[in-house]
């Protein structure tokens, strides 16, 4: 299932459980079957009730879930603690290279690996009012390489996050403000959705890199997005792209 197909299915989904199952199924196709979605500095109004905040939805192995929440590992988990410091997706295996992790933080990562979360990555997601959310993907395979899937999984996380927002905070009667992008903004965002850089988009459209960035920033502002991936996800969901 490609990202556009995922968005089409997500648009037809009206429950968090069904939407999360859709995310898990798509992530499993990428080789990362263990997924968690959390709201780190606020409480989402719509959650799956099995586990306490900051978790919104999770499908980790049951034994690891029980251990994690009973011992309140979310208070020392370096993935949870470090996510607000990152503006881009990051690999769990790289945390020890970038930070001096405490022994209890290392223990959480080691126990997660023993529980079957061998290799993982997390995608920070930022809201307009400073909300910080996160989608994490992990694989039970020793051979998994999240670096090779980071682009696809990041886009998938943003699409899921956008769709979740529609379910958790539906607009009143569909009377929300219409978002209108210019044709040039749409052209640039379509190439962003294809994974092209500003330089590549400029070559394709025959415009400068500065002009490309100008149109992309305008599109992000209109869409209420803080990253290109998030802007792409919102635009796809709104059928702008």
């Amino acid at each position: 299932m490609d990202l556009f197909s995922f968005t089409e299915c997500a648009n037809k989904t009206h429950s968090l459980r069904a939407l999360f199952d859709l995310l898990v199924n798509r992530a499993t196709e990428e080789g990362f079957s263990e997924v968690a979605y959390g709201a780190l500095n606020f409480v989402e109004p719509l959650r799956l009730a099995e586990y306490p905040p900051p978790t919104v939805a999770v499908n980790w192995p049951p034994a690891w879930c029980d251990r994690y929440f009973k011992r309140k590992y979310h208070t020392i988990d370096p993935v949870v603690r470090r996510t607000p410091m990152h503006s881009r997706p990051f690999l769990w295996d790289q945390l020890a290279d970038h930070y001096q992790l405490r022994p209890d933080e290392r223990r959480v990562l080691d126990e997660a690996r023993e529980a079957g979360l061998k290799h993982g990555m997390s995608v920070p997601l930022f809201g307009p009012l400073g909300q910080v959310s996160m989608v994490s993907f992990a694989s039970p395979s020793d051979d998994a390489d999240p670096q090779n899937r980071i682009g696809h999984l990041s886009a998938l996380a943003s699409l899921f996050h956008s769709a979740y927002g529609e379910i958790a905070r539906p607009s009143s009667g569909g009377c929300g403000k219409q978002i209108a992008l210019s044709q040039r903004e749409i052209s640039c965002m379509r190439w962003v959705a294809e994974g092209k850089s500003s330089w590549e988009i400029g070559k394709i459209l025959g415009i400068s890199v500065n002009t490309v960035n100008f149109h992309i920033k305008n599109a992000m502002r209109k869409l209420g997005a803080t990253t290109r991936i998030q802007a792409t996800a919102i635009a796809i969901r709104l059928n702008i792209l």
Side-chain angles (χ1 to χ4, degrees), residues 26-193:
R26 181 63 184 87
T28 300
E29 293 175 4
E30 297 283 343
F32 291 81
S33 56
E34 312 302 324
V35 184
Y37 178 54
L40 302 189
N41 63 348
F42 65 107
V43 178
E44 284 284 14
L46 179 63
R47 301 188 302 109
L48 299 184
E50 293 94 328
Y51 302 106
T55 305
V56 176
V58 62
N59 79 321
W60 292 335
W64 174 239
C65 279
D66 290 342
R67 184 183 186 89
Y68 188 93
F69 291 110
K70 284 180 180 178
R71 299 192 177 193
K72 298 183 178 180
Y73 276 175
H74 63 276
T75 62
I76 59 173
D77 185 345
V79 174
V80 173
R81 288 168 55 85
R82 299 307 196 284
T83 290
M85 304 176 188
H86 289 258
S87 60
R88 297 181 179 180
F90 62 92
L91 307 184
W92 297 356
D93 294 341
Q94 295 176 344
L95 285 175
D97 297 331
H98 292 86
Y99 301 100
Q100 291 186 338
L101 299 183
R102 302 192 312 257
D104 57 350
E105 292 179 313
R106 291 180 180 275
R107 186 179 74 247
V108 172
L109 292 178
D110 290 341
E111 290 185 13
R113 293 188 191 97
E114 293 172 2
L117 282 67
K118 301 292 181 63
H119 297 283
M121 59 161 286
S122 293
V123 184
L125 300 160
F126 300 95
L129 300 178
Q131 306 99 319
V132 182
S133 302
M134 171 184 69
V135 177
S136 289
F137 302 95
S139 174
S141 172
D142 289 321
D143 299 326
D145 184 2
Q147 183 66 58
N148 286 338
R149 312 311 303 162
I150 197 167
H152 288 82
L153 292 174
S154 298
L156 193 63
S158 290
L159 287 169
F160 168 83
H161 184 60
S162 176
Y164 169 82
E166 293 294 320
I167 294 174
R169 294 172 292 276
S171 60
S172 55
C175 297
K177 181 176 68 174
Q178 294 293 317
I179 297 175
L181 301 187
S182 70
Q183 284 302 311
R184 185 61 88 183
E185 289 164 357
I186 291 173
S187 296
C188 289
M189 289 306 303
R190 280 179 177 156
W191 287 114
V192 169

Side-chain angles (χ1 to χ4, degrees), residues 1-15 18-23 25-26 29 156 159-160 163-164 167 236-237 239:
M1 181 188 297
D2 60 26
L3 295 177
F4 287 94
S5 298
F6 178 87
T7 301
E8 184 176 350
C9 292
N11 284 339
K12 300 175 182 177
T13 301
H14 302 289
S15 75
L19 181 63
F20 186 65
D21 287 345
L22 182 66
L23 174 66
N25 290 339
R26 181 63 184 87
E29 293 175 4
L156 193 63
L159 287 169
F160 168 83
Y164 169 82
I167 294 174
I236 291 174
R237 181 164 180 80
N239 294 318

